[in-house]
Amino acid sequence: MKTIHRLLAAAAGVIALAAPAALAAGEYKKPEEHTWSFEGPFGTFDQAELQRGFQVYNQVCSACHGLNYLSIRHMGMEGGPFYTEGVAPNDNPALQAIAAEMRPIEDGPDDFGDMFERERRVTDPFPSPYENEQMARSANGGAYPPDLSVIVKARKGGTEYIRSLLLGYDQEPPEDLDIRTGNYYNPYMSGQVIAMPPQLYEGIVEYEDGTEATPEQMAHDIAAFLTWTSEPHMDARKRMGLMVMIYLLILCGLLYWSYRQIWSKVEH
Amino acid sequence: MSGPSTYKPSTGFEKWLDERLPIVRLGWDSFVDFPTPRNLNYWYTFGGILTVCLMVQILTGIVLAMHYVPHVDMAFASVERIDRDVNFGWLLRNIHAVGASMFFLAVYMHIFRGLYYGSYKAPRELLWILGVVIYLLMMAAAFLGYVLPWGQMSFWGATVITELFGALPLIGGPVTEWLWGGFSVGNATLNRFFSLHYLIPFLIAGVVGLHIWALHVPGNNNPTGLTAKTSNDTLPFHPYYTVKDGFAIVVFLVIFAFFVFYWPDALGHADNYIEADPLVTPAHIVPEWYLLPFYAILRAVPDKLGGVILMFGAIGVLFILPWLDTSRVRSMRYRPVAKWFFAFFVVACLGLGWAGAELPDNKVPVLGAIGVDFLLLGRVLTLYYFAYFLVILPVLGFVEKPKPRPASIEADVLGSKKSGDAAAPAGAPAE
Amino acid sequence: MTDVNNTPDSGQDPSRRDFIHIAAVGATAVGGAFVIWPFIDQMNPAADTLAEASTEVNLADIDEGVTVTVMFRSKPHFVRRRTQAEIDEARGVDVSSLPDRDARNVNIEAGAPATDENRSALTAMVDDGVEVDDALRAAFLVSGANCTHLGCVPTGEAGAYDGWFCPCHGSHYDTSARIRRGPAPENLPIPPMTFISATTVRLG
C-alpha cells in the first residue's frame, strides 16, 4: 500500500498547488488580509468592537439592509454585543433603550380588529428597511440590498471580504470596464461593479466609547459585528471544541494503549 | 466461514431467551466470536466507522426534524432559528452537515479498499452489490438533504438534478413534473424531498443489515485475498477487532470534530446561505464535493441524454464489476500491473472531482499551456474511468502474470515478520 | 500510569492490563453520557420561545362582573373585574381552611399566604410615575386559565363557590381563583404583571 500512499499524497499536492491559481483566475480581487480578535481556534469576539459595529449598522447600514433573522434580544445572549452576565436579554437596559429608539413596530389586531403601532421591544425583530423586495429595488435603482443576517457566511472571503469591500472604493477602474451611472467600481465585488455607493466617510458615526471613527475603524467594527450576526455561537463553539478535542485525544491514547495490549499476544 | 456457534448461555434468563429468540447468540456469533482474518489493516476499519456515521446522521437528523419546517417560506428561517435559538441547535446542525461529508469520505475509503483487495470477487459479489446499493441510497439522501435548507444551492441543485430526468425520451417532461409536483421546484417538491430524506436513512440501515449478513457468510476478505482456512488464519472479532475498530473510530472522530468545531462551513458552499431565489441562478453552481466526479462525467458529453446515461452508467458499471474482473487473484498486492492501473484510477477519480469543481472552459494549470481545459480533462478521465472497468480489468486477468502468493494468511503474517520489509522484492506492497 | 510507558508491550501484570481496558471503556462511557445532553436539551424551550413577547391588557374596557380571557405565553389567562360582593366573599375566607394555602403569585415572595389581597392585582408592580387606584387594583383578578389538575379551561361564574368550575373533573374555584373542592392540587397561578398606565396592565 505504500505506493498508493505516495500516489495519493502526490495527487493531493497537485491539487493544492493548482488551487490558488484557479482563484486568481476569477474576476475579482482577493480580500485584503486583516487581523481579527476572533481568528484561530482560541479567538473570541471583542465586545467593545461588536458594540461599535452595531452602532455602525444602526446608524449607516440599517437604512437599506435588514437583519431579518435577528431579534434585538439576540444581542443580549451570551457572546453577544450587549451581553451582561446574569442579566436575561429581555431585562437588559442597554437593549431596552436601543429597542425604544428604533422604528415602532406594527402589532395587532386590537380589540376592534385594527392594527396599531407600538414601541419596539427587546423581543421584537430588527426593523426591516423595506416592506418587500420590490420596494427595496425601486428605492435603490433596481438593486436589492441583501439581508445582512448571515452575510459573512454567504460570501466567499467572509469577514475580510466585507471589510475590503467597504474600503475598496478608492481604486482606479480598468479602462475597458463600463460602469453605468449609479454604479461604482469596487474590485472586491464579484464582477467589480457595485450599486452601493461608498458609505463609510470620516465622521459619519460618532462612537459612544470615544474611539475615533475612521473609515478603517468603522469597516473593521462592522465586519466584526456582521461576523457575530452570522455566527452568534462562535465563542461557544470554539470553547466546546477545545474540550471535545482534549477528550478525544485522551480517549485515542487510551484506546491505542488498550489495542497494543490486546494485540501484543499475537503476530499480525 | 462461521462454524458452529460457540455461544453458551450463562444465566437462566439467557437460556430462556435463547430458546425463544436467539438474539444474543446472533450478536455473539457475529460480533464476539466471529472468526476474522488476523491480518486486516486499518483500511478495514471503515466498515465500523461507516456504521458510526450512519448512526450519527440518523440521530442528529431525527432531532433536527423536530425544528425544521419544510415550507418554502419558512425553511430557510427555520434553519437560521436552529442555528440561533434552539438549544445546541448550532452543534446538531454542524454535526449533521459535516457528518454528510464525513460519511462520504469514509465510504470512498471503504470502496477503494474493496477495489484494491478485490473484495468484490467471488464469493462476495452480492456483498459488493449491496454496498453499491447503499452508496446509491446515500447519494439520494445527501442530495435530498442538501435541498432542505432552501438556500440558493439547494434550489438550483434541485432544479438541475431533477431536470436530468427531462432527458428521458418521451416521458421526460411528465416524469420531471411528477417529481416536482408542479411546473418547477417548489413547495410540493420541498415537502416530498423532506419526507424522502427522512425515509432513506432507514432504508440504508436495512440494506446495511443485509450487507453485514452477506459479509458474515463468506467472512472478511483480507489484504492477501486468500481464503481463511484454519483457525490459525483468524482471530475472534472481539476483542481484537472491536478495539482496533474502536481506536480507528476515535481517530476518525478527531477529524470529524475538527470540522464541526473549527471549520464547519469549509465543506459547504457560501451561496447556500443566501435564501433560494427562483429568479437568480448563482454564477457557479456545483454539487457538494463528494458528487463532483459524477458532475464532471455528466458534463463530459455534449448531449443531454448521453450525459445522463453516462453519469448513471458510472455507478451502473459498479454493479457488474464482479464479472468484469477476470483475474483469478483477488488482491492487487499480487497483481504487479493491475496495481498501477488502480493507482491511476484513484488519481482519475480525484481529477474528475477537480474537473467537476471548475468551470469547463477554464484552463487546467500547467497543462493549460498546451490548451487543456477542464472539459478536456474531464473527458479524458471519464474515458479512463470506464476503460478501467470495461477494458483494463477484463483484459488484464488474461495477460497479467500474478506474483507468487503465500500459502496461507498465517504464513503471510509470520513470513513477513521474519523477513521484514527489506527482504521484500522491490515494488512489492509492504503492509 | 507513567511506568507503563517503559514496557508498552508487556502485559505481564494482569491488574495493570485490566486497568487500561477499564479506563478505555470508562472514558468512552463518560463521553457518551455527555453526548446525550445536547440531544435532550434541544427539546427544551428555545431562546425565542423563552423570550416570548409580553401581553398588554386595557382594564378600562372591562366592566364590573366581566371576565376577559387573554393569551399570554401561548396560554389563556383570566382577567376579571370582580363585583364588591365577590371581593367580600373572597376576603371572608379563612386561609387556613383552604386546600392550597400558598398564594401562587410570582409577583410576591414565594410561599405567601393565599389571602385575596395576595391574589388580586394589588400585588402587581407599578411602573415609575404611574398612579393606579387601589380599589381598581383590588377588584381585578388576573390568573392562569388552565385548571391545575390537568389543564382544562374552567367555566366562569360557576361551581359551588361562585368562581370557576372545571367541567373536566369537577374542580371548584372561588372568586379569588383558589381551589376549594375537587382534584386540582393548586390555586390558579397569578402571572407576572405590571401597571404601565393607570388602566393598562402588562403581563410578563
Side-chain angles (χ1 to χ4, degrees):
Chain A
M1 286 306 276
K2 279 223 177 92
T3 359
I4 308 302
H5 285 295
R6 274 202 297 274
L7 281 168
L8 283 174
V14 168
I15 288 173
L17 278 175
L23 262 179
E27 47 169 347
Y28 52 87
K29 204 165 153 184
K30 211 171 173 301
E32 213 180 294
E33 291 282 333
H34 189 71
T35 311
W36 307 94
S37 69
F38 44 85
E39 272 176 338
F42 304 107
T44 55
F45 287 121
D46 172 349
Q47 207 179 26
E49 188 173 292
L50 296 186
Q51 289 187 3
R52 288 195 300 270
F54 165 69
Q55 213 188 326
V56 176
Y57 169 77
N58 204 25
Q59 294 176 14
V60 184
C61 318
S62 67
C64 302
H65 294 277
L67 279 178
N68 287 342
Y69 301 106
L70 271 86
S71 296
I72 300 158
R73 69 180 164 79
H74 279 120
M75 295 200 294
M77 292 172 78
E78 202 177 340
F82 295 94
Y83 171 66
T84 320
E85 213 177 321
V87 178
N90 285 8
D91 305 330
N92 189 312
L95 291 184
Q96 286 169 342
I98 287 166
E101 277 175 29
M102 283 178 168
R103 233 163 355 96
I105 189 171
E106 189 179 62
D107 201 349
D110 62 13
D111 296 343
F112 306 101
D114 298 322
M115 302 303 278
F116 59 93
E117 286 206 332
R118 62 160 173 79
E119 195 175 80
R120 204 168 280 269
R121 299 189 199 121
V122 176
T123 46
D124 290 322
F126 274 79
S128 185
Y130 306 103
E131 279 181 21
N132 49 50
E133 186 180 333
Q134 285 76 0
M135 189 189 279
R137 284 192 190 276
S138 85
N140 288 284
Y144 181 44
D147 185 83
L148 298 183
S149 310
V150 264
I151 196 78
V152 165
K153 289 207 268 187
R155 293 288 182 277
K156 239 181 178 171
T159 316
E160 273 160 359
Y161 164 81
I162 302 290
R163 179 181 171 276
S164 296
L165 187 81
L166 289 169
L167 296 173
Y169 285 90
D170 57 347
Q171 308 190 23
E172 273 305 304
E175 280 178 12
D176 57 342
L177 193 69
D178 184 29
I179 301 170
R180 279 179 299 145
T181 331
N183 283 349
Y184 302 84
Y185 175 69
N186 193 322
Y188 300 104
M189 182 76 181
S190 172
Q192 306 190 25
V193 176
I194 188 167
M196 175 173 77
Q199 297 293 337
L200 300 180
Y201 295 107
E202 196 86 41
I204 193 169
V205 169
E206 196 180 320
Y207 278 134
E208 277 164 21
D209 65 0
T211 307
E212 197 189 343
T214 60
E216 284 76 19
Q217 182 69 43
M218 288 186 283
H220 174 96
D221 292 341
I222 185 67
F225 175 71
L226 292 176
T227 308
W228 171 80
T229 62
S230 293
E231 236 210 302
H233 296 293
M234 181 195 277
D235 287 357
R237 164 163 72 78
K238 290 177 182 171
R239 252 195 330 265
M240 191 189 288
L242 182 64
M243 306 309 290
V244 169
M245 282 298 181
I246 291 172
Y247 167 77
L248 283 177
L249 290 175
I250 291 174
L251 186 61
C252 235
L254 285 175
L255 277 167
Y256 185 67
W257 197 0
S258 175
Y259 160 70
R260 289 293 299 265
Q261 285 280 9
I262 287 170
W263 281 78
S264 62
K265 287 157 262 167
V266 293
E267 296 281 350
H268 62 283
Chain B
M1 177 99 183
S2 33
S5 178
T6 57
Y7 173 65
K8 298 242 178 350
S10 54
T11 64
F13 172 72
E14 280 177 65
K15 204 161 178 297
W16 181 88
L17 184 69
D18 196 50
E19 284 161 5
R20 288 157 180 83
L21 180 69
I23 190 164
V24 183
R25 180 181 298 275
L26 179 70
W28 177 272
D29 294 343
S30 308
F31 302 108
V32 179
D33 196 36
F34 183 71
T36 313
R38 61 194 291 178
N39 60 340
L40 298 189
N41 55 32
Y42 279 106
W43 293 99
Y44 283 80
T45 59
F46 285 98
I49 288 170
L50 284 161
T51 313
V52 171
C53 285
L54 179 63
M55 276 160 43
V56 167
Q57 290 305 90
I58 288 182
L59 287 176
T60 51
I62 286 173
V63 154
L64 288 169
M66 296 181 187
H67 305 282
Y68 171 75
V69 183
H71 186 283
V72 289
D73 293 337
M74 287 177 274
F76 190 85
S78 73
V79 172
E80 279 302 308
R81 182 176 168 272
I82 289 171
D83 266 357
R84 292 171 196 281
D85 285 335
V86 173
N87 303 322
F88 293 107
W90 59 271
L91 173 66
L92 297 163
R93 194 173 83 87
N94 279 359
I95 293 175
H96 199 70
V98 170
S101 281
M102 292 296 128
F103 207 152
F104 276 95
L105 180 71
V107 92
Y108 285 131
M109 297 291 189
H110 196 62
I111 292 172
F112 281 128
R113 187 268 287 151
L115 286 173
Y116 184 79
Y117 292 122
S119 304
Y120 48 85
K121 294 171 79 70
R124 297 185 182 83
E125 304 95 322
L126 268 181
L127 171 62
W128 170 263
I129 287 171
L130 287 166
V132 179
V133 170
I134 294 171
Y135 176 47
L136 262 178
L137 287 171
M138 277 176 64
M139 287 198 280
F143 161 68
L144 296 170
Y146 196 55
V147 176
L148 302 185
W150 209 241
Q152 275 287 65
M153 282 296 174
S154 303
F155 181 86
W156 292 103
T159 301
V160 167
I161 299 298
T162 48
E163 290 269 9
L164 288 180
F165 293 90
L168 296 170
L170 295 175
I171 54 164
V175 164
T176 318
E177 281 185 6
W178 173 77
L179 285 171
W180 288 334
F183 305 109
S184 67
V185 173
N187 197 47
T189 324
L190 180 60
N191 268 286
R192 63 192 58 184
F193 278 19
F194 178 55
S195 169
L196 294 172
H197 181 69
Y198 207 120
L199 167 72
I200 288 179
F202 298 98
L203 296 182
I204 293 178
V207 183
V208 165
L210 296 178
H211 190 64
I212 294 174
W213 189 5
L215 166 70
H216 283 185
V217 176
N220 286 76
N221 185 27
N222 65 83
T224 63
L226 301 173
T227 307
K229 292 185 194 79
T230 66
S231 60
N232 287 340
D233 288 340
T234 63
L235 293 168
F237 189 80
H238 178 77
Y240 293 98
Y241 286 104
T242 42
V243 72
K244 188 166 187 169
D245 279 2
F247 171 64
I249 286 166
V250 175
V251 171
F252 185 78
L253 288 181
V254 171
I255 303 166
F256 199 142
F258 168 76
F259 279 104
V260 166
F261 291 105
Y262 295 109
W263 216 13
D265 293 310
L267 301 164
H269 200 290
D271 279 338
N272 223 28
Y273 280 107
I274 304 169
E275 192 168 3
D277 181 353
L279 299 176
V280 187
T281 308
H284 187 34
I285 91 158
V286 284
E288 292 279 81
W289 68 268
Y290 40 81
L291 299 178
L292 285 171
F294 298 102
Y295 196 56
I297 292 174
L298 171 74
R299 291 198 301 207
V301 190
D303 174 66
K304 188 173 177 181
L305 180 60
V308 174
I309 290 174
L310 211 60
M311 189 178 75
F312 283 106
I315 300 158
V317 72
L318 296 175
F319 281 100
I320 52 167
L321 170 63
W323 297 277
L324 289 174
D325 184 355
T326 51
S327 172
R328 285 172 298 108
V329 180
R330 279 203 198 97
S331 173
M332 290 198 187
R333 185 183 271 190
Y334 309 106
R335 298 182 62 187
V337 186
K339 191 157 68 189
W340 287 102
F341 281 108
F342 171 78
F344 192 69
F345 177 75
V346 176
V347 175
C349 290
L350 292 172
L352 278 170
W354 185 21
E358 296 287 338
L359 290 172
D361 293 339
N362 280 357
K363 291 273 179 271
V364 180
V366 187
L367 294 176
I370 51 166
V372 179
D373 56 18
F374 280 100
L375 182 64
L376 183 60
L377 179 74
R379 283 180 174 167
V380 171
L381 295 179
T382 300
L383 200 65
Y384 182 78
Y385 181 98
F386 283 98
Y388 178 76
F389 293 113
L390 299 174
V391 181
I392 295 168
L393 286 183
V395 172
L396 220 50
F398 296 106
V399 300
E400 184 183 35
K401 190 173 174 310
K403 288 195 297 193
R405 283 166 292 152
S408 68
I409 295 172
E410 184 193 15
D412 179 59
V413 168
L414 300 178
S416 76
K417 276 285 170 200
K418 275 182 213 126
S419 59
D421 280 354
E431 166 42 35
Chain C
M1 282 172 82
T2 43
D3 62 327
V4 180
N5 289 339
N6 301 329
T7 53
D9 275 327
S10 73
Q12 298 298 316
D13 176 359
S15 67
R16 184 195 293 157
R17 203 172 54 216
D18 290 347
F19 164 75
I20 178 60
H21 305 318
I22 292 165
V25 171
T28 310
V30 169
F34 274 101
V35 167
I36 292 170
W37 176 240
F39 287 83
I40 293 172
D41 192 35
Q42 55 85 23
M43 277 170 75
N44 278 320
D48 56 339
T49 313
L50 289 176
E52 246 176 34
S54 47
T55 305
E56 285 171 19
V57 188
N58 186 356
L59 303 181
D61 295 340
I62 304 173
D63 290 332
E64 206 175 272
V66 171
T67 304
V68 169
T69 308
V70 298
M71 292 301 279
F72 166 61
R73 290 194 178 142
S74 320
K75 276 184 164 180
H77 281 72
F78 295 132
V79 182
R80 178 166 177 83
R81 187 179 206 151
R82 300 175 297 178
T83 61
Q84 193 56 46
E86 286 172 335
I87 301 168
D88 292 343
E89 190 183 337
R91 289 189 175 179
V93 176
D94 177 12
V95 173
S96 63
S97 71
L98 293 169
D100 180 17
R101 291 170 213 167
D102 190 322
R104 306 285 168 195
N105 186 341
V106 295
N107 298 286
I108 55 177
E109 81 266 25
T115 60
D116 186 59
E117 288 83 350
N118 278 345
R119 301 269 303 160
S120 69
L122 280 169
T123 59
M125 268 161 292
V126 180
D127 270 353
D128 290 346
V130 175
E131 295 272 339
V132 192
D133 180 26
D134 271 353
L136 180 93
R137 292 173 67 186
F140 270 101
L141 177 75
V142 183
S143 80
N146 297 100
C147 181
T148 57
H149 182 219
L150 291 170
C152 300
V153 176
T155 319
E157 293 167 70
Y161 299 90
D162 307 323
W164 284 269
F165 171 71
C166 184
C168 291
H169 306 95
S171 290
H172 298 257
Y173 294 89
D174 66 12
T175 55
S176 200
R178 294 173 295 207
I179 181 64
R180 297 298 288 275
R181 192 205 298 167
E186 289 177 11
N187 302 326
L188 293 180
I190 312 296
M193 48 188 171
T194 312
F195 278 93
I196 55 171
S197 80
T199 55
T200 311
V201 73
R202 188 183 65 217
L203 308 186

